[in-house]
Amino acid sequence: MKETLSIIKENIAKVIGIILVVVISSIVMSSFTAILKATKARRPEEQKRKRTLDKVLISIVRYTVIIIDAVVILFILGVNVIPALAGLGIAGLVLGLGAQKLITDFISGLFIIIEHHFDVGDIIDVGGFKGEVIDLGLKTTKVRNWQGQVKILANSEVSNFINCSLNNTVFSTSFDVSYQADVEKAMKVVNEQLPLRLKNDENIIVMPKCNGVSGLTARSITINVVATAKNET
């Protein structure tokens, strides 16, 4: 009877220890996440960069906490972790030799983040698939297009891409007037009226302006209009 009680007490202590490890880990993760969310970017344009770094840091801390938890729980259960860690190091070396693709993805992910190739929220075009970066990790990048389709790319595959969010977009349009019309007057009206009609549009950086005659057809004269807007608007 005493032996049974002793075993129960010993196991209860281990269970309580494991529960404490899990609870403390959860508190650490929650606190770290809360601190990151409470930290505001200094400027609005830095928001995307902050979101990207937050996701990566949370991912790194989560994996670190899981590894530490595993070692501590093994210690609580009475497992000699020193030989296990030594064996893990050898096994890691063997796995590393066979997991070069995974290591390449991690290194590529680090370079994407460090060299600031793109952030979460940026619009990129990878191999003809254009969409918003919704997640960026050390191993993979997720891009969602306007149809809601999500493409998951290994970071080592994100090599030839276009970042559509780095600069403002210069766009042009055109309109036709007849040969009987006063071209100079038409251009003057457009240059006066378009800025008035678009003055409250926050997406316009440089107001539309006639760029001159861009072509001639059998029945009309084509006039080109150029403006600058925020990217992807």
Side-chain angles (χ1 to χ4, degrees), residues 30-48:
S30 300
S31 301
F32 183 75
T33 304
I35 290 170
L36 289 179
K37 289 183 178 179
T39 305
K40 303 296 182 182
R42 294 180 180 179
R43 293 177 295 180
E45 57 268 24
E46 295 177 350
Q47 283 290 344
K48 289 193 293 186

Side-chain angles (χ1 to χ4, degrees), residues 10-211:
E10 184 179 347
N11 289 333
I12 287 176
K14 290 180 180 179
V15 171
I16 292 173
I18 292 171
I19 291 173
L20 284 174
V21 169
V22 174
V23 170
I24 292 171
S25 299
S26 299
I27 292 172
V28 169
M29 278 302 305
S30 300
S31 301
F32 183 75
T33 304
I35 290 170
L36 289 179
K37 289 183 178 179
T39 305
K40 303 296 182 182
R42 294 180 180 179
R43 293 177 295 180
E45 57 268 24
E46 295 177 350
Q47 283 290 344
K48 289 193 293 186
R49 182 64 174 167
K50 182 183 179 302
R51 284 168 54 196
T52 303
L53 294 176
D54 286 354
K55 284 181 175 289
V56 174
L57 289 173
I58 289 172
S59 178
I60 292 172
V61 171
R62 183 184 293 115
Y63 288 131
T64 303
V65 168
I66 289 172
I67 293 171
I68 293 173
D69 283 356
V71 173
V72 174
I73 289 171
L74 287 173
F75 180 78
I76 291 172
L77 294 174
V79 177
N80 190 351
V81 295
I82 295 176
L85 289 174
L88 190 62
I90 297 171
L93 179 61
V94 174
L95 287 173
L97 294 173
Q100 294 181 3
K101 178 67 167 62
L102 181 64
I103 295 172
T104 303
D105 290 337
F106 282 168
I107 294 173
S108 298
L110 285 173
F111 275 110
I112 289 172
I113 295 163
I114 293 171
E115 295 185 356
H116 200 182
H117 291 170
F118 54 80
D119 289 322
V120 173
D122 281 357
I123 305 296
I124 65 172
D125 188 328
V126 186
F129 189 91
K130 185 178 181 181
E132 178 186 359
V133 178
I134 59 173
D135 191 32
L136 173 58
L138 289 177
K139 186 181 182 302
T140 59
T141 296
K142 296 179 182 178
V143 183
R144 180 177 59 207
N145 67 8
W146 65 274
Q147 295 176 309
Q149 299 170 333
V150 177
K151 188 166 187 175
I152 302 174
L153 299 158
N155 285 332
S156 59
E157 297 174 357
V158 188
S159 54
N160 297 319
F161 66 92
I162 300 171
N163 190 335
C164 305
S165 300
L166 289 180
N167 299 307
N168 295 319
T169 301
V170 177
F171 67 93
S172 66
T173 186
S174 59
F175 65 95
D176 294 336
V177 296
S178 68
Y179 281 104
Q180 288 75 32
D182 186 335
V183 175
E184 292 294 334
K185 184 178 180 179
M187 293 173 61
K188 182 180 178 181
V189 170
V190 170
N191 287 336
E192 290 176 352
Q193 294 300 316
L194 277 182
L196 293 176
R197 298 193 179 196
L198 298 172
K199 64 181 180 180
N200 295 322
D201 192 331
E202 297 179 352
N203 293 321
I204 300 294
I205 305 297
V206 177
M207 285 295 172
K209 184 177 181 180
C210 285
N211 203 28

